[in-house]
Amino acid sequence: MHRRPTLLRLALPLCGTLAAGAAAAQQPARPAPTPAAELRTPVLQASRATGGIRVDGRLDDAAWAAAEIASDFVQTRPTPGAPASQRTEVRIVYDDAALYVAARMHDDRPDSIAAPLARRDVASGLYSDWFDVLVDSYHDRRTGFRFAVNPRGVRRDVYHSNDANEDASWDPVYDVATAVDSAGWTAEFRIPLSQLRFPRAAAGAERTWGVNFSRTLARRDEIAFWSELPPNYTGLVSRAGDLRGLVGIGTPRRLEVVPYTSARLTREPGESRDPFFSENEVAGSIGADVKAGLPGGLTLSATINPDFGQVEVDPAIINLSAFETRLEEKRPFFVEGASNFRFAPSVMGMGAATGLLYSRRIGRVPQLGVPTEPSDVPGTTGILGAAKISGKTASGWSLGILEAVTGEESGRYLETGGLRQTAVVEPMTNYFLGRVNREMRQGQSAIGGIFTAVNRDVGAERVDQLLRSSAYTG
């Protein structure tokens, strides 16, 4: 009587094992992923464009007919190492100003192509087909510029550093067009050379860049690469193939100037007894953003009186602790190229995520208050100007220098007796950050350093008693 339940429990796993074995016998054996040491590096020859190319997604320009084709994509998932289930053909041509990429994604079920409409740089969880181009113009196997598009023309662009780190805040200026037809869908890119970074070379010299392509087939949950990427491989840029035949490409001059003006009218209810209340508050601003290319592959970015009024609002947070709440940086000037400033050791036991730079303190809510109420205190500290130099040199040095100056902010308050007074709530402050890093042994090792400095003008009354005049970290 006591043995039957035991036999039953033993029989169930046995039946399950037999059933699984029978099912496995009916399925074709999956190819084993190629070991990392045996991965090949494919080569694609780029052609110089012999005529004009119209970026319309049709791929009917004469320049594409003579270009070499990259195909034979290999799955990363769901079956690592197996050929892609659908054929993909990619061609690259170039001229003195841009790199052109044409891709034909064959599909035997064009009615099942997933092509939703979404915002640029949409999260990777979107159910959609995609085609990606990765360009390693430094050819250092560590730094990459990725351009992606779905069949509806939704863009996704990412800057890669240290082989696998991603910076989705990078928003280059380029053209791309797509088209869906009975054979599948197509994508056509025009990537200006000014949006890439690469060192100078002798006139007429041939360049070799890294390049890779990937295709996402949503209905099969399939991702396939031209240069095979095993699922357990920790990098991305280092698995790029070689793009050869780039002859006579000079380093382009890069200069962008974006001026702006803004006007703001705020109407809100308030207490009429408040002496600082105004039903209509009018404000205006003028400034500019500047970006210029420097020798050695570096970039100078500067902003004068920046306006971050369109930046996403922070979530509401109630902090009941004694520690500062660290919010995500969303302002374009500080987000772009942040990988060149990244340095996150464990400091005073606070953990590696803390880091040595918290850029949200630049333009922060004023730290000091006023003695009495009612009062009128600014909600933010104005940034008079900021500049940074960032990039990677041909010799492998990554450099990041940031300088920012915030202005003095004052708050108004009403003294006992009705006398209006003003008090400094945030002094004029200078912020500096210098970061240098050198990769060695093909990125397996690195050496570098960082220095930060904060200097405040604390000459105003009571400010010198509440805030330090300077702080330095190295």
Side-chain angles (χ1 to χ4, degrees), residues 136-171:
D136 173 14
S137 51
Y138 286 109
H139 203 226
D140 61 358
R141 306 295 184 186
R142 313 297 297 173
T143 309
F145 306 88
R146 181 155 59 96
F147 308 83
V149 69
N150 83 341
R152 187 65 69 89
V154 177
R155 305 184 189 192
R156 187 174 61 193
D157 24 71
V158 180
Y159 172 76
H160 291 270
S161 61
N162 197 27
D163 197 5
N165 295 339
E166 296 188 1
D167 181 2
S169 66
W170 178 65
D171 287 325

PDB file of all heavy atoms in Angstrom, residues 136-171:
ATOM      1  N   ASP A 136      32.554  51.262 -37.109  1.00  0.00           N
ATOM      2  CA  ASP A 136      33.694  51.496 -36.229  1.00  0.00           C
ATOM      3  C   ASP A 136      34.725  52.284 -37.034  1.00  0.00           C
ATOM      4  O   ASP A 136      35.681  51.728 -37.569  1.00  0.00           O
ATOM      5  CB  ASP A 136      34.255  50.164 -35.735  1.00  0.00           C
ATOM      6  CG  ASP A 136      35.548  50.320 -34.935  1.00  0.00           C
ATOM      7  OD1 ASP A 136      35.861  51.457 -34.543  1.00  0.00           O
ATOM      8  OD2 ASP A 136      36.239  49.308 -34.715  1.00  0.00           O
ATOM      9  N   SER A 137      34.525  53.609 -37.149  1.00  0.00           N
ATOM     10  CA  SER A 137      35.380  54.428 -37.999  1.00  0.00           C
ATOM     11  C   SER A 137      36.762  54.657 -37.400  1.00  0.00           C
ATOM     12  O   SER A 137      37.704  54.990 -38.126  1.00  0.00           O
ATOM     13  CB  SER A 137      34.701  55.770 -38.294  1.00  0.00           C
ATOM     14  OG  SER A 137      34.251  56.389 -37.106  1.00  0.00           O
ATOM     15  N   TYR A 138      36.918  54.501 -36.090  1.00  0.00           N
ATOM     16  CA  TYR A 138      38.265  54.523 -35.492  1.00  0.00           C
ATOM     17  C   TYR A 138      39.026  53.235 -35.808  1.00  0.00           C
ATOM     18  O   TYR A 138      40.249  53.207 -35.763  1.00  0.00           O
ATOM     19  CB  TYR A 138      38.165  54.656 -33.962  1.00  0.00           C
ATOM     20  CG  TYR A 138      37.788  56.020 -33.457  1.00  0.00           C
ATOM     21  CD1 TYR A 138      36.537  56.249 -32.889  1.00  0.00           C
ATOM     22  CD2 TYR A 138      38.678  57.090 -33.523  1.00  0.00           C
ATOM     23  CE1 TYR A 138      36.186  57.496 -32.394  1.00  0.00           C
ATOM     24  CE2 TYR A 138      38.338  58.337 -33.027  1.00  0.00           C
ATOM     25  CZ  TYR A 138      37.097  58.541 -32.462  1.00  0.00           C
ATOM     26  OH  TYR A 138      36.750  59.770 -31.968  1.00  0.00           O
ATOM     27  N   HIS A 139      38.290  52.172 -36.075  1.00  0.00           N
ATOM     28  CA  HIS A 139      38.827  50.825 -36.284  1.00  0.00           C
ATOM     29  C   HIS A 139      39.675  50.391 -35.089  1.00  0.00           C
ATOM     30  O   HIS A 139      40.757  49.807 -35.228  1.00  0.00           O
ATOM     31  CB  HIS A 139      39.655  50.744 -37.574  1.00  0.00           C
ATOM     32  CG  HIS A 139      39.748  49.336 -38.100  1.00  0.00           C
ATOM     33  ND1 HIS A 139      40.927  48.765 -38.533  1.00  0.00           N
ATOM     34  CD2 HIS A 139      38.792  48.366 -38.243  1.00  0.00           C
ATOM     35  CE1 HIS A 139      40.717  47.527 -38.935  1.00  0.00           C
ATOM     36  NE2 HIS A 139      39.429  47.258 -38.768  1.00  0.00           N
ATOM     37  N   ASP A 140      39.149  50.681 -33.891  1.00  0.00           N
ATOM     38  CA  ASP A 140      39.839  50.292 -32.668  1.00  0.00           C
ATOM     39  C   ASP A 140      39.165  49.118 -31.980  1.00  0.00           C
ATOM     40  O   ASP A 140      39.580  48.697 -30.900  1.00  0.00           O
ATOM     41  CB  ASP A 140      39.917  51.476 -31.704  1.00  0.00           C
ATOM     42  CG  ASP A 140      38.537  51.987 -31.298  1.00  0.00           C
ATOM     43  OD1 ASP A 140      37.519  51.448 -31.798  1.00  0.00           O
ATOM     44  OD2 ASP A 140      38.468  52.926 -30.481  1.00  0.00           O
ATOM     45  N   ARG A 141      38.092  48.600 -32.585  1.00  0.00           N
ATOM     46  CA  ARG A 141      37.338  47.474 -32.033  1.00  0.00           C
ATOM     47  C   ARG A 141      36.690  47.798 -30.695  1.00  0.00           C
ATOM     48  O   ARG A 141      36.274  46.903 -29.972  1.00  0.00           O
ATOM     49  CB  ARG A 141      38.225  46.231 -31.879  1.00  0.00           C
ATOM     50  CG  ARG A 141      38.946  45.806 -33.140  1.00  0.00           C
ATOM     51  CD  ARG A 141      37.996  45.367 -34.220  1.00  0.00           C
ATOM     52  NE  ARG A 141      38.695  44.872 -35.394  1.00  0.00           N
ATOM     53  CZ  ARG A 141      38.105  44.522 -36.540  1.00  0.00           C
ATOM     54  NH1 ARG A 141      36.779  44.638 -36.632  1.00  0.00           N
ATOM     55  NH2 ARG A 141      38.788  44.085 -37.553  1.00  0.00           N
ATOM     56  N   ARG A 142      36.585  49.084 -30.356  1.00  0.00           N
ATOM     57  CA  ARG A 142      36.007  49.473 -29.073  1.00  0.00           C
ATOM     58  C   ARG A 142      34.904  50.520 -29.221  1.00  0.00           C
ATOM     59  O   ARG A 142      34.018  50.612 -28.393  1.00  0.00           O
ATOM     60  CB  ARG A 142      37.087  50.058 -28.139  1.00  0.00           C
ATOM     61  CG  ARG A 142      38.365  49.268 -28.054  1.00  0.00           C
ATOM     62  CD  ARG A 142      38.165  47.896 -27.485  1.00  0.00           C
ATOM     63  NE  ARG A 142      37.680  47.926 -26.104  1.00  0.00           N
ATOM     64  CZ  ARG A 142      37.300  46.838 -25.455  1.00  0.00           C
ATOM     65  NH1 ARG A 142      37.326  45.658 -26.054  1.00  0.00           N
ATOM     66  NH2 ARG A 142      36.884  46.920 -24.204  1.00  0.00           N
ATOM     67  N   THR A 143      34.990  51.361 -30.264  1.00  0.00           N
ATOM     68  CA  THR A 143      34.096  52.508 -30.418  1.00  0.00           C
ATOM     69  C   THR A 143      33.260  52.336 -31.681  1.00  0.00           C
ATOM     70  O   THR A 143      33.811  52.051 -32.750  1.00  0.00           O
ATOM     71  CB  THR A 143      34.897  53.816 -30.512  1.00  0.00           C
ATOM     72  OG1 THR A 143      35.824  53.878 -29.429  1.00  0.00           O
ATOM     73  CG2 THR A 143      33.971  55.013 -30.450  1.00  0.00           C
ATOM     74  N   GLY A 144      31.943  52.501 -31.559  1.00  0.00           N
ATOM     75  CA  GLY A 144      31.076  52.294 -32.715  1.00  0.00           C
ATOM     76  C   GLY A 144      29.939  53.291 -32.772  1.00  0.00           C
ATOM     77  O   GLY A 144      29.492  53.822 -31.749  1.00  0.00           O
ATOM     78  N   PHE A 145      29.459  53.539 -33.985  1.00  0.00           N
ATOM     79  CA  PHE A 145      28.315  54.404 -34.232  1.00  0.00           C
ATOM     80  C   PHE A 145      27.243  53.555 -34.915  1.00  0.00           C
ATOM     81  O   PHE A 145      27.469  53.048 -36.021  1.00  0.00           O
ATOM     82  CB  PHE A 145      28.706  55.588 -35.121  1.00  0.00           C
ATOM     83  CG  PHE A 145      29.884  56.374 -34.597  1.00  0.00           C
ATOM     84  CD1 PHE A 145      31.189  56.010 -34.930  1.00  0.00           C
ATOM     85  CD2 PHE A 145      29.694  57.457 -33.758  1.00  0.00           C
ATOM     86  CE1 PHE A 145      32.271  56.721 -34.444  1.00  0.00           C
ATOM     87  CE2 PHE A 145      30.770  58.179 -33.265  1.00  0.00           C
ATOM     88  CZ  PHE A 145      32.063  57.804 -33.614  1.00  0.00           C
ATOM     89  N   ARG A 146      26.109  53.383 -34.248  1.00  0.00           N
ATOM     90  CA  ARG A 146      25.081  52.473 -34.761  1.00  0.00           C
ATOM     91  C   ARG A 146      23.851  53.244 -35.225  1.00  0.00           C
ATOM     92  O   ARG A 146      23.326  54.104 -34.519  1.00  0.00           O
ATOM     93  CB  ARG A 146      24.697  51.447 -33.689  1.00  0.00           C
ATOM     94  CG  ARG A 146      23.644  50.448 -34.134  1.00  0.00           C
ATOM     95  CD  ARG A 146      23.735  49.154 -33.332  1.00  0.00           C
ATOM     96  NE  ARG A 146      23.570  49.370 -31.913  1.00  0.00           N
ATOM     97  CZ  ARG A 146      22.392  49.226 -31.272  1.00  0.00           C
ATOM     98  NH1 ARG A 146      21.313  48.867 -31.936  1.00  0.00           N
ATOM     99  NH2 ARG A 146      22.327  49.407 -29.965  1.00  0.00           N
ATOM    100  N   PHE A 147      23.397  52.917 -36.435  1.00  0.00           N
ATOM    101  CA  PHE A 147      22.217  53.528 -37.036  1.00  0.00           C
ATOM    102  C   PHE A 147      21.220  52.408 -37.331  1.00  0.00           C
ATOM    103  O   PHE A 147      21.567  51.427 -37.983  1.00  0.00           O
ATOM    104  CB  PHE A 147      22.585  54.250 -38.333  1.00  0.00           C
ATOM    105  CG  PHE A 147      23.730  55.227 -38.189  1.00  0.00           C
ATOM    106  CD1 PHE A 147      25.054  54.790 -38.249  1.00  0.00           C
ATOM    107  CD2 PHE A 147      23.489  56.572 -37.983  1.00  0.00           C
ATOM    108  CE1 PHE A 147      26.104  55.677 -38.120  1.00  0.00           C
ATOM    109  CE2 PHE A 147      24.534  57.473 -37.850  1.00  0.00           C
ATOM    110  CZ  PHE A 147      25.844  57.023 -37.920  1.00  0.00           C
ATOM    111  N   ALA A 148      19.998  52.562 -36.868  1.00  0.00           N
ATOM    112  CA  ALA A 148      18.987  51.519 -37.042  1.00  0.00           C
ATOM    113  C   ALA A 148      17.690  52.146 -37.533  1.00  0.00           C
ATOM    114  O   ALA A 148      17.385  53.311 -37.260  1.00  0.00           O
ATOM    115  CB  ALA A 148      18.746  50.773 -35.733  1.00  0.00           C
ATOM    116  N   VAL A 149      16.911  51.329 -38.259  1.00  0.00           N
ATOM    117  CA  VAL A 149      15.620  51.797 -38.769  1.00  0.00           C
ATOM    118  C   VAL A 149      14.677  50.604 -38.850  1.00  0.00           C
ATOM    119  O   VAL A 149      15.118  49.464 -39.054  1.00  0.00           O
ATOM    120  CB  VAL A 149      15.794  52.462 -40.155  1.00  0.00           C
ATOM    121  CG1 VAL A 149      16.175  51.434 -41.223  1.00  0.00           C
ATOM    122  CG2 VAL A 149      14.551  53.237 -40.563  1.00  0.00           C
ATOM    123  N   ASN A 150      13.385  50.845 -38.658  1.00  0.00           N
ATOM    124  CA  ASN A 150      12.398  49.788 -38.850  1.00  0.00           C
ATOM    125  C   ASN A 150      11.656  50.039 -40.163  1.00  0.00           C
ATOM    126  O   ASN A 150      11.853  51.090 -40.805  1.00  0.00           O
ATOM    127  CB  ASN A 150      11.462  49.688 -37.639  1.00  0.00           C
ATOM    128  CG  ASN A 150      10.318  50.696 -37.685  1.00  0.00           C
ATOM    129  OD1 ASN A 150      10.350  51.703 -38.398  1.00  0.00           O
ATOM    130  ND2 ASN A 150       9.288  50.447 -36.899  1.00  0.00           N
ATOM    131  N   PRO A 151      10.821  49.127 -40.631  1.00  0.00           N
ATOM    132  CA  PRO A 151      10.182  49.298 -41.942  1.00  0.00           C
ATOM    133  C   PRO A 151       9.318  50.549 -42.062  1.00  0.00           C
ATOM    134  O   PRO A 151       9.046  51.004 -43.171  1.00  0.00           O
ATOM    135  CB  PRO A 151       9.338  48.025 -42.081  1.00  0.00           C
ATOM    136  CG  PRO A 151      10.012  47.015 -41.214  1.00  0.00           C
ATOM    137  CD  PRO A 151      10.540  47.789 -40.058  1.00  0.00           C
ATOM    138  N   ARG A 152       8.895  51.121 -40.938  1.00  0.00           N
ATOM    139  CA  ARG A 152       8.082  52.336 -40.975  1.00  0.00           C
ATOM    140  C   ARG A 152       8.946  53.595 -41.004  1.00  0.00           C
ATOM    141  O   ARG A 152       8.438  54.698 -41.149  1.00  0.00           O
ATOM    142  CB  ARG A 152       7.141  52.356 -39.761  1.00  0.00           C
ATOM    143  CG  ARG A 152       6.113  53.473 -39.748  1.00  0.00           C
ATOM    144  CD  ARG A 152       5.117  53.342 -40.888  1.00  0.00           C
ATOM    145  NE  ARG A 152       4.249  52.204 -40.710  1.00  0.00           N
ATOM    146  CZ  ARG A 152       3.101  52.245 -40.051  1.00  0.00           C
ATOM    147  NH1 ARG A 152       2.691  53.370 -39.488  1.00  0.00           N
ATOM    148  NH2 ARG A 152       2.351  51.160 -39.959  1.00  0.00           N
ATOM    149  N   GLY A 153      10.260  53.441 -40.879  1.00  0.00           N
ATOM    150  CA  GLY A 153      11.150  54.591 -40.897  1.00  0.00           C
ATOM    151  C   GLY A 153      11.489  55.138 -39.528  1.00  0.00           C
ATOM    152  O   GLY A 153      12.099  56.209 -39.422  1.00  0.00           O
ATOM    153  N   VAL A 154      11.131  54.423 -38.458  1.00  0.00           N
ATOM    154  CA  VAL A 154      11.475  54.849 -37.107  1.00  0.00           C
ATOM    155  C   VAL A 154      12.974  54.652 -36.886  1.00  0.00           C
ATOM    156  O   VAL A 154      13.511  53.572 -37.157  1.00  0.00           O
ATOM    157  CB  VAL A 154      10.672  54.055 -36.061  1.00  0.00           C
ATOM    158  CG1 VAL A 154      11.090  54.458 -34.647  1.00  0.00           C
ATOM    159  CG2 VAL A 154       9.190  54.285 -36.249  1.00  0.00           C
ATOM    160  N   ARG A 155      13.643  55.673 -36.388  1.00  0.00           N
ATOM    161  CA  ARG A 155      15.090  55.623 -36.214  1.00  0.00           C
ATOM    162  C   ARG A 155      15.482  55.276 -34.780  1.00  0.00           C
ATOM    163  O   ARG A 155      14.767  55.578 -33.843  1.00  0.00           O
ATOM    164  CB  ARG A 155      15.728  56.978 -36.569  1.00  0.00           C
ATOM    165  CG  ARG A 155      15.391  57.479 -37.941  1.00  0.00           C
ATOM    166  CD  ARG A 155      16.142  58.750 -38.229  1.00  0.00           C
ATOM    167  NE  ARG A 155      15.692  59.375 -39.465  1.00  0.00           N
ATOM    168  CZ  ARG A 155      16.335  60.367 -40.074  1.00  0.00           C
ATOM    169  NH1 ARG A 155      17.457  60.841 -39.546  1.00  0.00           N
ATOM    170  NH2 ARG A 155      15.858  60.882 -41.179  1.00  0.00           N
ATOM    171  N   ARG A 156      16.647  54.659 -34.680  1.00  0.00           N
ATOM    172  CA  ARG A 156      17.256  54.384 -33.385  1.00  0.00           C
ATOM    173  C   ARG A 156      18.756  54.465 -33.583  1.00  0.00           C
ATOM    174  O   ARG A 156      19.318  53.725 -34.397  1.00  0.00           O
ATOM    175  CB  ARG A 156      16.845  52.994 -32.883  1.00  0.00           C
ATOM    176  CG  ARG A 156      17.293  52.689 -31.465  1.00  0.00           C
ATOM    177  CD  ARG A 156      16.716  51.357 -31.004  1.00  0.00           C
ATOM    178  NE  ARG A 156      17.157  50.242 -31.821  1.00  0.00           N
ATOM    179  CZ  ARG A 156      16.613  49.035 -31.785  1.00  0.00           C
ATOM    180  NH1 ARG A 156      15.583  48.801 -31.002  1.00  0.00           N
ATOM    181  NH2 ARG A 156      17.079  48.058 -32.552  1.00  0.00           N
ATOM    182  N   ASP A 157      19.434  55.387 -32.894  1.00  0.00           N
ATOM    183  CA  ASP A 157      20.867  55.572 -33.079  1.00  0.00           C
ATOM    184  C   ASP A 157      21.553  55.532 -31.724  1.00  0.00           C
ATOM    185  O   ASP A 157      21.072  56.104 -30.750  1.00  0.00           O
ATOM    186  CB  ASP A 157      21.181  56.874 -33.819  1.00  0.00           C
ATOM    187  CG  ASP A 157      20.079  57.908 -33.667  1.00  0.00           C
ATOM    188  OD1 ASP A 157      19.924  58.448 -32.565  1.00  0.00           O
ATOM    189  OD2 ASP A 157      19.367  58.151 -34.650  1.00  0.00           O
ATOM    190  N   VAL A 158      22.703  54.866 -31.681  1.00  0.00           N
ATOM    191  CA  VAL A 158      23.396  54.602 -30.420  1.00  0.00           C
ATOM    192  C   VAL A 158      24.891  54.792 -30.626  1.00  0.00           C
ATOM    193  O   VAL A 158      25.442  54.385 -31.655  1.00  0.00           O
ATOM    194  CB  VAL A 158      23.119  53.158 -29.925  1.00  0.00           C
ATOM    195  CG1 VAL A 158      23.846  52.896 -28.618  1.00  0.00           C
ATOM    196  CG2 VAL A 158      21.634  52.910 -29.767  1.00  0.00           C
ATOM    197  N   TYR A 159      25.529  55.411 -29.636  1.00  0.00           N
ATOM    198  CA  TYR A 159      26.988  55.523 -29.622  1.00  0.00           C
ATOM    199  C   TYR A 159      27.533  54.454 -28.676  1.00  0.00           C
ATOM    200  O   TYR A 159      27.095  54.352 -27.531  1.00  0.00           O
ATOM    201  CB  TYR A 159      27.410  56.914 -29.152  1.00  0.00           C
ATOM    202  CG  TYR A 159      28.898  57.063 -28.911  1.00  0.00           C
ATOM    203  CD1 TYR A 159      29.781  57.191 -29.973  1.00  0.00           C
ATOM    204  CD2 TYR A 159      29.407  57.081 -27.616  1.00  0.00           C
ATOM    205  CE1 TYR A 159      31.140  57.328 -29.759  1.00  0.00           C
ATOM    206  CE2 TYR A 159      30.771  57.213 -27.384  1.00  0.00           C
ATOM    207  CZ  TYR A 159      31.634  57.341 -28.465  1.00  0.00           C
ATOM    208  OH  TYR A 159      32.984  57.467 -28.236  1.00  0.00           O
ATOM    209  N   HIS A 160      28.486  53.654 -29.151  1.00  0.00           N
ATOM    210  CA  HIS A 160      29.068  52.576 -28.359  1.00  0.00           C
ATOM    211  C   HIS A 160      30.484  52.942 -27.927  1.00  0.00           C
ATOM    212  O   HIS A 160      31.275  53.445 -28.740  1.00  0.00           O
ATOM    213  CB  HIS A 160      29.116  51.269 -29.158  1.00  0.00           C
ATOM    214  CG  HIS A 160      27.774  50.666 -29.415  1.00  0.00           C
ATOM    215  ND1 HIS A 160      27.190  49.759 -28.565  1.00  0.00           N
ATOM    216  CD2 HIS A 160      26.890  50.844 -30.436  1.00  0.00           C
ATOM    217  CE1 HIS A 160      25.998  49.401 -29.043  1.00  0.00           C
ATOM    218  NE2 HIS A 160      25.800  50.047 -30.175  1.00  0.00           N
ATOM    219  N   SER A 161      30.780  52.686 -26.677  1.00  0.00           N
ATOM    220  CA  SER A 161      32.135  52.878 -26.160  1.00  0.00           C
ATOM    221  C   SER A 161      32.534  51.644 -25.358  1.00  0.00           C
ATOM    222  O   SER A 161      31.676  50.897 -24.887  1.00  0.00           O
ATOM    223  CB  SER A 161      32.199  54.128 -25.266  1.00  0.00           C
ATOM    224  OG  SER A 161      31.333  53.998 -24.147  1.00  0.00           O
ATOM    225  N   ASN A 162      33.830  51.456 -25.239  1.00  0.00           N
ATOM    226  CA  ASN A 162      34.359  50.302 -24.491  1.00  0.00           C
ATOM    227  C   ASN A 162      33.731  48.990 -24.959  1.00  0.00           C
ATOM    228  O   ASN A 162      33.419  48.115 -24.153  1.00  0.00           O
ATOM    229  CB  ASN A 162      34.146  50.496 -22.983  1.00  0.00           C
ATOM    230  CG  ASN A 162      35.004  49.567 -22.157  1.00  0.00           C
ATOM    231  OD1 ASN A 162      36.074  49.148 -22.594  1.00  0.00           O
ATOM    232  ND2 ASN A 162      34.535  49.224 -20.970  1.00  0.00           N
ATOM    233  N   ASP A 163      33.485  48.906 -26.258  1.00  0.00           N
ATOM    234  CA  ASP A 163      32.992  47.698 -26.924  1.00  0.00           C
ATOM    235  C   ASP A 163      31.502  47.423 -26.712  1.00  0.00           C
ATOM    236  O   ASP A 163      30.791  47.091 -27.653  1.00  0.00           O
ATOM    237  CB  ASP A 163      33.811  46.478 -26.487  1.00  0.00           C
ATOM    238  CG  ASP A 163      33.631  45.291 -27.434  1.00  0.00           C
ATOM    239  OD1 ASP A 163      32.955  45.447 -28.466  1.00  0.00           O
ATOM    240  OD2 ASP A 163      34.160  44.208 -27.147  1.00  0.00           O
ATOM    241  N   ALA A 164      31.004  47.572 -25.485  1.00  0.00           N
ATOM    242  CA  ALA A 164      29.625  47.168 -25.207  1.00  0.00           C
ATOM    243  C   ALA A 164      28.764  48.267 -24.597  1.00  0.00           C
ATOM    244  O   ALA A 164      27.542  48.151 -24.598  1.00  0.00           O
ATOM    245  CB  ALA A 164      29.608  45.943 -24.296  1.00  0.00           C
ATOM    246  N   ASN A 165      29.353  49.335 -24.059  1.00  0.00           N
ATOM    247  CA  ASN A 165      28.561  50.393 -23.438  1.00  0.00           C
ATOM    248  C   ASN A 165      27.753  51.155 -24.485  1.00  0.00           C
ATOM    249  O   ASN A 165      28.266  51.463 -25.567  1.00  0.00           O
ATOM    250  CB  ASN A 165      29.467  51.365 -22.670  1.00  0.00           C
ATOM    251  CG  ASN A 165      30.145  50.709 -21.492  1.00  0.00           C
ATOM    252  OD1 ASN A 165      29.684  49.681 -20.986  1.00  0.00           O
ATOM    253  ND2 ASN A 165      31.248  51.282 -21.045  1.00  0.00           N
ATOM    254  N   GLU A 166      26.517  51.493 -24.154  1.00  0.00           N
ATOM    255  CA  GLU A 166      25.622  52.164 -25.092  1.00  0.00           C
ATOM    256  C   GLU A 166      25.220  53.540 -24.571  1.00  0.00           C
ATOM    257  O   GLU A 166      24.948  53.711 -23.388  1.00  0.00           O
ATOM    258  CB  GLU A 166      24.358  51.335 -25.333  1.00  0.00           C
ATOM    259  CG  GLU A 166      24.611  49.994 -25.988  1.00  0.00           C
ATOM    260  CD  GLU A 166      23.310  49.292 -26.374  1.00  0.00           C
ATOM    261  OE1 GLU A 166      22.239  49.871 -26.135  1.00  0.00           O
ATOM    262  OE2 GLU A 166      23.384  48.175 -26.912  1.00  0.00           O
ATOM    263  N   ASP A 167      25.164  54.516 -25.487  1.00  0.00           N
ATOM    264  CA  ASP A 167      24.703  55.864 -25.178  1.00  0.00           C
ATOM    265  C   ASP A 167      23.636  56.229 -26.201  1.00  0.00           C
ATOM    266  O   ASP A 167      23.928  56.661 -27.307  1.00  0.00           O
ATOM    267  CB  ASP A 167      25.863  56.856 -25.230  1.00  0.00           C
ATOM    268  CG  ASP A 167      25.447  58.277 -24.880  1.00  0.00           C
ATOM    269  OD1 ASP A 167      24.250  58.480 -24.561  1.00  0.00           O
ATOM    270  OD2 ASP A 167      26.296  59.186 -24.934  1.00  0.00           O
ATOM    271  N   ALA A 168      22.361  56.035 -25.819  1.00  0.00           N
ATOM    272  CA  ALA A 168      21.249  56.287 -26.735  1.00  0.00           C
ATOM    273  C   ALA A 168      20.921  57.769 -26.863  1.00  0.00           C
ATOM    274  O   ALA A 168      20.081  58.138 -27.686  1.00  0.00           O
ATOM    275  CB  ALA A 168      20.004  55.517 -26.269  1.00  0.00           C
ATOM    276  N   SER A 169      21.562  58.628 -26.067  1.00  0.00           N
ATOM    277  CA  SER A 169      21.302  60.064 -26.163  1.00  0.00           C
ATOM    278  C   SER A 169      21.969  60.685 -27.387  1.00  0.00           C
ATOM    279  O   SER A 169      21.658  61.809 -27.761  1.00  0.00           O
ATOM    280  CB  SER A 169      21.810  60.766 -24.899  1.00  0.00           C
ATOM    281  OG  SER A 169      23.225  60.666 -24.817  1.00  0.00           O
ATOM    282  N   TRP A 170      22.882  59.970 -28.017  1.00  0.00           N
ATOM    283  CA  TRP A 170      23.567  60.462 -29.217  1.00  0.00           C
ATOM    284  C   TRP A 170      22.566  60.537 -30.368  1.00  0.00           C
ATOM    285  O   TRP A 170      21.949  59.547 -30.740  1.00  0.00           O
ATOM    286  CB  TRP A 170      24.719  59.509 -29.546  1.00  0.00           C
ATOM    287  CG  TRP A 170      25.484  59.856 -30.782  1.00  0.00           C
ATOM    288  CD1 TRP A 170      26.250  60.956 -31.001  1.00  0.00           C
ATOM    289  CD2 TRP A 170      25.573  59.070 -31.989  1.00  0.00           C
ATOM    290  NE1 TRP A 170      26.811  60.914 -32.262  1.00  0.00           N
ATOM    291  CE2 TRP A 170      26.410  59.772 -32.877  1.00  0.00           C
ATOM    292  CE3 TRP A 170      25.017  57.849 -32.378  1.00  0.00           C
ATOM    293  CZ2 TRP A 170      26.708  59.287 -34.148  1.00  0.00           C
ATOM    294  CZ3 TRP A 170      25.316  57.358 -33.630  1.00  0.00           C
ATOM    295  CH2 TRP A 170      26.154  58.068 -34.512  1.00  0.00           C
ATOM    296  N   ASP A 171      22.385  61.732 -30.916  1.00  0.00           N
ATOM    297  CA  ASP A 171      21.407  61.945 -31.990  1.00  0.00           C
ATOM    298  C   ASP A 171      22.088  62.573 -33.201  1.00  0.00           C
ATOM    299  O   ASP A 171      22.092  63.794 -33.366  1.00  0.00           O
ATOM    300  CB  ASP A 171      20.257  62.841 -31.514  1.00  0.00           C
ATOM    301  CG  ASP A 171      19.321  62.124 -30.564  1.00  0.00           C
ATOM    302  OD1 ASP A 171      19.109  60.912 -30.744  1.00  0.00           O
ATOM    303  OD2 ASP A 171      18.808  62.768 -29.631  1.00  0.00           O
TER     304      ASP A 171
END
